[in-house]
Amino acid sequence: MVTPTVTIGKEQHIWAYDADMQPVVTVDPGTVIEIQTWDCFTGQVQSESDTVANLDIHRVNSATGPIAVRGAEPGDSLSVTLIDIRPEEKGAAMCIPEWGQLIHKVHSPVTRIFKVKDGIVHMNENVSWPQRPMFGVIGVAPASGSIPTFEANRHGGNLDNNMNGIGATVHLPVFQPGGQLAIGDMHASMGDGEISGTGVEIGGTAIIQVNLIKGKSGGWPITETADSWITHGTSPDNIDVALQNACEEAAKLLVDEWGFTIEDAFIFLSVAGDLGIAQYCHPSPGSVIAKMRVPKTKATPRPFKL
Amino acid sequence: MVTPTVTIGKEQHIWAYDADMQPVVTVDPGTVIEIQTWDCFTGQVQSESDTVANLDIHRVNSATGPIAVRGAEPGDSLSVTLIDIRPEEKGAAMCIPEWGQLIHKVHSPVTRIFKVKDGIVHMNENVSWPQRPMFGVIGVAPASGSIPTFEANRHGGNLDNNMNGIGATVHLPVFQPGGQLAIGDMHASMGDGEISGTGVEIGGTAIIQVNLIKGKSGGWPITETADSWITHGTSPDNIDVALQNACEEAAKLLVDEWGFTIEDAFIFLSVAGDLGIAQYCHPSPGSVIAKMRVPKTKATPRPFKL
């Protein structure tokens, strides 16, 4: 295990990705950092009587940072490797009125408290399963304006992709000098789609390493795992647009980086790529996030040709 | 390897699932069967000059069968275990005018021929990857009427779920005596979404075993793998409806079979279930098929409590 040389506490956080936000620390590429993150409710949910009804919604989805990386310039990728993600022992999930595919069938609001111990998530005495810790929110300063951490867009933000877990590297497109990375919204477990709008929301710590890829970036963040790279596509509210964006992004990389014809890219994605859903709690006011998983092959070994 | 006691050639096939279709063979539960299936183009595509423009579209998506299973009655599940799936050596995929997320960017029609050898799919000299053989079409006689094998619905049909591969068991809801199973549309590889409308379309043989679960069935087929069970939801054209159906089906099983409250089912699916896409080549005239993967846990060991 690489030893972190910088530590950032959860009290150093943002509620929005601002184009002009200032870093709490500036590090060199290659730096290993320990970050601490709040659960998305910022500690407001401690028992099953703490529902969304008595939540201060202005204190939701903090992201620890910003972290500037020396030398990061617009057009680069700020590549964040999630070396380890360590949830605390208590998490929470919710049914939130008017949110999600099954909301019309349930009484709401409802909160469930989860115990996370020795790598196992316990929902109740009968229901438990192995944790798959991940970050819902990971992003950088956007090209302009201020984007709440609740939303996802080209800068990242609330991507809610459960592939952003241990071992993954997230290549974030840099829009501002230093990049200005901020990370939060840890889940001990979150399903594709996150249909109630919550995973097992939990605080914790993580070990990350930041690197730069000079002069290459995607239109959205791109996640890289041992066997795949995964493009994202977002939309404020339209799943077709999000899916389309994820497809077009993957095809663009196959053509621009790996020499596919666009016809071959289309066919390759149809026969070997997996189009999926990161976040689609519907209905809800949240962003829609789609993903296209491209398998690593000899012809597609990484998102970017270096 | 279990030895098949019945063999059915690809010349025994249907083009539609009819409510009153008659079997080519009737077998006992537990029977192991070798089936041969046409590629979806029924041999019409042999080279890259054979595009959709010169295809007889009435000869697409044959399904080998029907196979009646003795004792199958409406309300049962006809459970089909795909013991082995063996593609031939030559497959094809296409860009079809007006179909799919990237069709506006490509010249079409286009056909690509694939070589499949020793478990590897070869697209061209640079692009190859491990096969993941599966059946696009698997279904039974519907409750009423006649449903072309091109479509998917509660009886199964063109589900295009790449989890319907080697080792999976597909639990098909029985609507007619004997069930009347038919299977086709083999793919050597198909991505989630199948965004061009084609996988690596290929003929081949398969070893299957048929069994019955008496008095239990889903609203749609349910796929079971070593670590998961996966519900389906379909719609003629609306992805939200398909996703909603897959979610509701999974929640229903958690409540009816495994004693979850509906609130706990909603939250469990949000934090541990994976909502995804089986088939969404958009735009296209094909059905939309969504899936919800429920992890097997001590509390959710199978789709049905027996």
Side-chain angles (χ1 to χ4, degrees):
Chain A
M1 178 64 68
V2 195
T3 306
T5 55
V6 176
T7 299
I8 306 177
K10 64 184 175 184
E11 70 285 356
Q12 302 282 2
H13 61 248
I14 59 168
W15 301 104
Y17 290 91
D18 292 339
D20 62 355
M21 62 188 183
Q22 295 302 307
V24 296
V25 65
T26 298
V27 301
D28 287 321
T31 302
V32 176
I33 306 168
E34 177 172 332
I35 60 169
Q36 187 185 33
T37 58
W38 274 110
D39 68 279
C40 78
F41 307 117
T42 327
Q44 296 181 79
V45 176
Q46 293 298 326
S47 79
E48 298 198 344
S49 60
D50 296 328
T51 71
V52 70
N54 41 29
L55 206 61
D56 176 354
I57 58 162
H58 298 101
R59 294 180 56 73
V60 168
N61 266 17
S62 73
T64 299
I67 300 165
V69 179
R70 224 164 257 125
E73 294 293 335
D76 299 343
S77 288
L78 197 171
S79 302
V80 185
T81 299
L82 305 170
I83 297 173
D84 200 11
I85 303 175
R86 302 165 185 159
E88 294 168 359
E89 293 199 354
K90 190 162 102 174
M94 289 184 171
C95 300
I96 299 171
E98 300 180 26
W99 285 29
Q101 279 83 351
L102 300 176
I103 195 64
H104 59 295
K105 293 183 173 285
V106 305
H107 293 283
S108 70
V110 164
T111 293
R112 288 285 175 269
I113 297 292
F114 296 76
K115 188 174 82 172
V116 181
K117 191 89 198 266
D118 300 328
I120 304 294
V121 179
H122 301 269
M123 183 168 183
N124 56 45
E125 60 187 8
N126 297 315
V127 181
S128 57
W129 66 95
Q131 68 178 17
R132 40 178 188 174
M134 54 152 292
F135 282 111
V137 172
I138 181 165
V140 292
S144 64
S146 176
I147 304 179
T149 50
F150 183 70
E151 297 176 19
N153 210 314
R154 291 179 179 274
H155 72 297
N158 197 3
L159 289 174
D160 273 340
N161 181 353
N162 57 26
M163 289 166 159
N164 293 337
I166 295 170
T169 296
V170 186
H171 303 286
L172 297 156
V174 173
F175 298 102
Q176 302 294 342
Q180 314 297 342
L181 171 69
I183 300 179
D185 189 25
M186 187 186 290
H187 303 131
S189 177
M190 191 204 92
D192 281 338
E194 200 196 35
I195 62 169
S196 85
T198 55
V200 175
E201 307 293 340
I202 201 159
T205 58
I207 309 296
I208 67 170
Q209 185 175 35
V210 292
N211 284 288
L212 295 180
I213 300 174
K214 295 299 293 179
K216 297 254 187 182
S217 66
W220 281 265
I222 300 162
T223 297
E224 185 174 353
T225 65
D227 64 3
S228 307
W229 42 273
I230 302 103
T231 61
H232 294 85
T234 62
S235 161
D237 53 10
N238 188 317
I239 190 168
D240 281 321
V241 171
L243 292 166
Q244 178 81 25
N245 286 338
C247 291
E248 291 193 11
E249 172 88 337
K252 184 173 191 307
L253 289 163
L254 291 173
V255 171
D256 291 354
E257 300 290 323
W258 302 110
F260 283 59
T261 65
I262 184 65
E263 289 78 14
D264 279 353
F266 188 17
I267 288 175
F268 179 70
L269 291 173
S270 187
V271 302
D274 288 322
L275 182 62
I277 293 169
Q279 164 59 257
Y280 191 47
C281 169
H282 176 73
S284 88
S287 309
V288 182
I289 302 106
K291 53 188 175 184
M292 172 59 91
R293 189 187 75 84
V294 181
K296 285 187 175 177
T297 69
K298 210 161 55 173
T300 59
R302 297 176 301 281
F304 303 113
K305 196 163 191 170
L306 303 179
Chain B
M1 178 64 69
V2 195
T3 306
T5 55
V6 176
T7 299
I8 306 176
K10 64 184 174 183
E11 69 285 357
Q12 302 283 1
H13 61 249
I14 59 169
W15 301 104
Y17 290 91
D18 292 339
D20 62 356
M21 63 188 182
Q22 295 303 306
V24 296
V25 64
T26 299
V27 302
D28 287 321
T31 302
V32 176
I33 306 169
E34 177 172 331
I35 60 170
Q36 187 185 32
T37 57
W38 274 110
D39 68 279
C40 78
F41 307 118
T42 326
Q44 296 181 78
V45 176
Q46 292 298 327
S47 79
E48 299 197 343
S49 60
D50 296 327
T51 71
V52 71
N54 41 28
L55 206 61
D56 176 355
I57 58 162
H58 297 101
R59 295 180 56 73
V60 168
N61 266 18
S62 73
T64 299
I67 300 165
V69 179
R70 224 164 257 126
E73 294 294 334
D76 300 343
S77 288
L78 197 171
S79 302
V80 185
T81 299
L82 305 170
I83 296 173
D84 200 11
I85 302 175
R86 302 166 185 158
E88 294 168 359
E89 293 200 352
K90 189 163 101 174
M94 289 184 171
C95 299
I96 298 171
E98 300 180 27
W99 285 28
Q101 278 83 350
L102 301 176
I103 195 64
H104 59 294
K105 293 183 173 284
V106 304
H107 293 283
S108 70
V110 164
T111 293
R112 287 285 176 269
I113 298 292
F114 295 76
K115 188 173 80 172
V116 181
K117 191 89 197 266
D118 299 329
I120 304 294
V121 179
H122 301 269
M123 184 168 182
N124 56 46
E125 61 188 7
N126 296 315
V127 182
S128 58
W129 66 95
Q131 67 178 19
R132 40 178 187 172
M134 53 151 294
F135 281 111
V137 172
I138 181 166
V140 291
S144 63
S146 177
I147 304 178
T149 50
F150 183 70
E151 297 177 18
N153 211 313
R154 292 179 178 274
H155 72 297
N158 197 4
L159 289 173
D160 273 339
N161 181 353
N162 58 26
M163 290 166 158
N164 293 337
I166 295 171
T169 295
V170 186
H171 303 286
L172 297 156
V174 173
F175 297 102
Q176 302 293 342
Q180 314 297 342
L181 171 69
I183 300 178
D185 190 25
M186 188 186 290
H187 302 131
S189 178
M190 191 204 91
D192 281 338
E194 200 197 36
I195 62 169
S196 85
T198 55
V200 176
E201 307 294 339
I202 201 159
T205 58
I207 310 295
I208 66 170
Q209 184 175 35
V210 292
N211 283 288
L212 294 180
I213 300 175
K214 295 299 292 178
K216 297 255 187 182
S217 66
W220 281 264
I222 300 162
T223 297
E224 185 173 353
T225 66
D227 64 3
S228 307
W229 42 273
I230 302 104
T231 61
H232 295 85
T234 62
S235 160
D237 53 10
N238 188 317
I239 190 169
D240 282 321
V241 171
L243 292 166
Q244 179 82 25
N245 286 338
C247 291
E248 291 193 12
E249 172 89 337
K252 184 173 191 306
L253 289 164
L254 291 173
V255 171
D256 292 354
E257 300 289 323
W258 303 110
F260 283 59
T261 65
I262 184 65
E263 289 78 14
D264 279 352
F266 188 17
I267 288 175
F268 179 70
L269 292 173
S270 186
V271 303
D274 288 322
L275 182 62
I277 293 168
Q279 164 58 257
Y280 191 47
C281 169
H282 177 74
S284 88
S287 308
V288 182
I289 301 106
K291 53 188 176 184
M292 172 60 92
R293 189 187 75 84
V294 180
K296 284 187 176 178
T297 69
K298 210 161 54 173
T300 59
R302 297 177 301 282
F304 303 113
K305 196 164 191 170
L306 303 179

